[in-house]
Amino acid sequence: MKKWFYTSVLVSVVCPALAQSTRLQGVIRDRSNGEPLPGATIAAGVHKTTTKADGRFSVLADSLPVPVIISMIGYRPDTILVRDASQSLAVSLIAQSGMMSDVVVTGTMKAVSKMASPVPVEVYTPQFFRRNPTPSIFDALQQVNGVRPQLNCNICNTGDIHINGLEGPYTMVLIDGMPIVSSLSSVYGLSGIPNSLVERIEVVKGPASSLYGSEAIGGLINVITKNPLKAPLVAVDVSGTTWGEYNVDAAVKFKPGRKVTSLLGVNYFNFTNRVDKNDDGFTDVTLQNRISLFNKYSFQRKEGRAANIAVRYVYEDRWGGDMRWTKFFRGGDSLYAESIYTSRVEVIGNYQLPVKEKLLFSYSFNRHTQRSVYGTTAFNANQKVGFGQLTWDKTLGAHDLLAGAVLRYTYYDDNTVATEDSLANRNKPERTALPGILVQDEIKLDTRSNLLLGARWDYHPVHGHIFTPRAAWKYSATPNDVIRVNAGTGFRVVNLFTEDHAALTGARKVVVDGELKPERSYNVNVNYVKKMAVGSGWVNVDASVWYTYFTNRILPSYKPDTIEYHNLTGYSVSQGASVNVEFAFTNSLRGHIGATWQDVIIANKDSLGVKTRTQQILTEKWSGNWSLSYTLPRAGWVIDYTGNIYGPMGLPLTSDKDPRPDRSPVWSIQNIQLTKKLGHGMEIYGGIKNLLNWTPAKNVPFLIARANDPFDKRPDVDNPYNLTFDPNYVYAPNQGMRGFLGFRLTMN
C-alpha cells in the first residue's frame, strides 16, 4: 500500500513538471563582426549547454518565463528573460577588452591561457586566414607579422618560412606539438597540410630548443589540428582562380565506435596551366598536382585522459621549367626543368598513462621519399624520423613542474656526397639517435608575477653533449597589462642538401670548407601586451623587441662559379622590434595592423683577419601587413582587405657584371575579398589577389640568368655579362593579378 502511495505522489509531482518543460533554441554571435561563437555557455535555470561550431544551441527550460544567462571567456555575460519559446533567440555578445582568452600549449607544453603564459605566443585561427584564403598553410602565413614565406627558386618554387629575418631551417614546424616538418621535408612538406583540419596556429618567435631540441633555433610554428569531438560534421571548401588553380578541402566527422570519434580530411590541389607572362621561355609558376589525406581519431577514456592518433599521407608531382618540356625530357640536357615527386607518410599521437600521476606519452613517425631532377642533376633521398617523448606534469604548491625524456631517431640517405663513404667507395646512410631530457619549473612568485626556469640536455653522437637553458619572467601590472622577458639558447645540426635549394640547382659547384659544427644561438626577448576598451569596441597592442646572437652560423658565399659553405669565424646578430595592433568595433569594423623592423648582420673575418660586417641577403629591413574586415550582419556580407609591404633586401648576383639590381625595390601585394553568408552553414566568396599586379620581373632585364643556355653549353656565346645559368634570383611570387571564387559548407 505504501509503495503505491509513494508512486502516486512521485507521478503527481514529476508529470506536471515535465509538462511545463520546453526547449529553447538560438544562436550566439560576436557583436563586432557577426561571427558565430562556439563554446559559449547557456544556462536556463538548472539546465546548461554550450554552443556548437556554428554558434547554435538548444537547452531545456523547466518553466516560462525563465532568465537565460549567456557567458563566454573574453566576453561580457548577458541575461535575457525569455517568455516565449516559439521564436529562436539571437544574442550578440560584446568582447570585454580584446579577443577570446585563447588557450596555448606551444610556449610551455602545457595548456594555459594566452595571457597567463610566461612565453609570448601568437595565436591565429582559421577565421583569421579566411580573410585571404589560400590553398596551403605555407601561403597563409604571409598574413602573420614578422613571418614571411620565402620562395627560393624561380623554377620549382620551393620555399621556406622566415621568422624575424631568419631562414627556413631556423624555424621548426610542428603538427600537434610533434616535430613533423623538418630537414628534408622543410622544403616540400609545408604545402600538404589541409586548411580544413586546422583549429589554430601558434607562433613562438625566438629559440625554443630547451623544449623542442634541434631546429627550434629561431622560432617555431605549431599547427594544432581540430579535435574530432568538437569538429563540424561536414566541412567543404572548394575554390578556383582565373590562372587555373583549383583547390578542394573537405573534412567529415564520424564515429567508428561508441567511444571513438574520427575526423577524415582530404585536400586536392591542381595547377596545370603553363603561364609565361615575363616571356623568358620558362614557367612563371610551378605546375603542381597534390593530394593529402588526413585521418585523426580521439578516444574517450576514464577521467578524461588523452588518447589521440592521426595519420597523414601526401603525394605531390611538381615541375617548372621550359614551356616546351614534357616528362620525356626529364633528366636530359635538351630542355631544362626541375621535376620533383614527393611521397610522405606521417603518424602522430599521444596517450596519457592510466596512473594517478599525469604522464603523457607523445609520439610521431614520418617517412619522406623524394625523387627529383634539377636539369641533369638527380637528387633522390629517403628520410625516416621516429620521435617519442614522455612528460610528467605536476603542481606542487607554487611550483608548476614539467619533466620529460625524449628520443629522436633519424635515418637519412641520398645520392650526394652527404651520405657517401669516400674511403670505402660506397653509400653510407646517416643513422642518428638523439636522446634528451628536459625539465621546467614555473614558479608563482606572487599574484602578479611568474618565473619560468627550464633546461634541456641532448646528446648527439657526433657533436656530443648539448645543453640549452632558458628563463622567462611574466609580470601583470593589471589584468590587461602584461610584460614578459624571455632569455634562452638554441642549437641546430645542419644538412645542406636537404635545407638549401641553391646547393642543388644552377651551375655553381658546391664547396664545403671543413667539418660543419652545430650552430648556437642566444636570445633575449621583451614583450608587452596591452588590452583596452575603446568606446564601443576594443584594441589590443602586442609589442616586442628582440636580440639574438649566433655562433658557428653556416651561410653560403655566392661566387661566380661556386657556392661555399663554412662556419663563420665571427658571429651573426638578428635584432629588431615588432608591433601588432588588433581591434574590433560594434560598427562591424575589425582588423589588425602589424609592423616589423629587423637588422640581421654577419660579422666575419677573412683569411687576413680583417673583420667585415654585412647585411644578410634576402632579408628585408622592415615589413608591414594588415587586414581590415567590415561586416553587414543583416545582409550577410563581409568585405576583407588584406595586404603586405616589404622593404628592400639584398639579392644574389652571379657576376660582377650582372645587370640585375643587387637590391629589391619596396614591394606590396594587396587583396580584396567579398563573402556572402547564405545561411545553413553555406557561404560563397570571391575577389582579386594582387590588386597592384606586382611581380619581381618589373624593371628587371631578366629573372633567370642565362635562361637561353641552361646547361651552359655555350658560355662564350651571347654572354656579355659573363653569367652562368642560375634560377635563385628570387624573393617574391611571379604571379600577377588574378580573380578567385569559392564556396564553403559547414554542417554540424
Side-chain angles (χ1 to χ4, degrees), residues 9 33 66 68 137 161 200 250 305 307 344 399 439 517 552 598 621 648 705:
V9 171
N33 61 4
V66 60
V68 177
I137 289 177
I161 302 296
R200 66 184 187 275
R305 294 190 178 101
R344 181 172 176 82
H399 297 265
V439 62
K517 301 177 182 178
N552 291 336
Q598 58 196 18
K621 272 274 192 177

Side-chain angles (χ1 to χ4, degrees), residues 30-32 74-76 93-100 533 537-538 584:
D30 185 315
R31 181 174 295 184
S32 65
Y75 290 83
R76 298 176 187 172
L93 295 184
I94 300 174
Q96 285 182 322
S97 59
M99 295 183 65
M100 288 176 53
W538 53 264

Side-chain angles (χ1 to χ4, degrees), residues 703-717:
L703 286 176
I704 300 175
R706 294 290 290 171
N708 62 330
D709 186 24
F711 299 102
D712 286 320
K713 293 181 178 180
R714 298 172 289 114
D716 299 325
V717 178

Side-chain angles (χ1 to χ4, degrees), residues 320-331:
D322 194 299
M323 290 284 287
R324 302 165 294 173
W325 187 87
T326 65
K327 291 185 178 180
F328 173 80
F329 298 100
R330 193 174 192 265

Side-chain angles (χ1 to χ4, degrees), residues 524-540:
V524 176
N525 179 295
V526 180
N527 172 256
Y528 173 66
V529 175
K530 172 71 174 179
K531 293 189 173 186
M532 299 174 286
V534 179
S536 58
W538 53 264
V539 176
N540 288 350

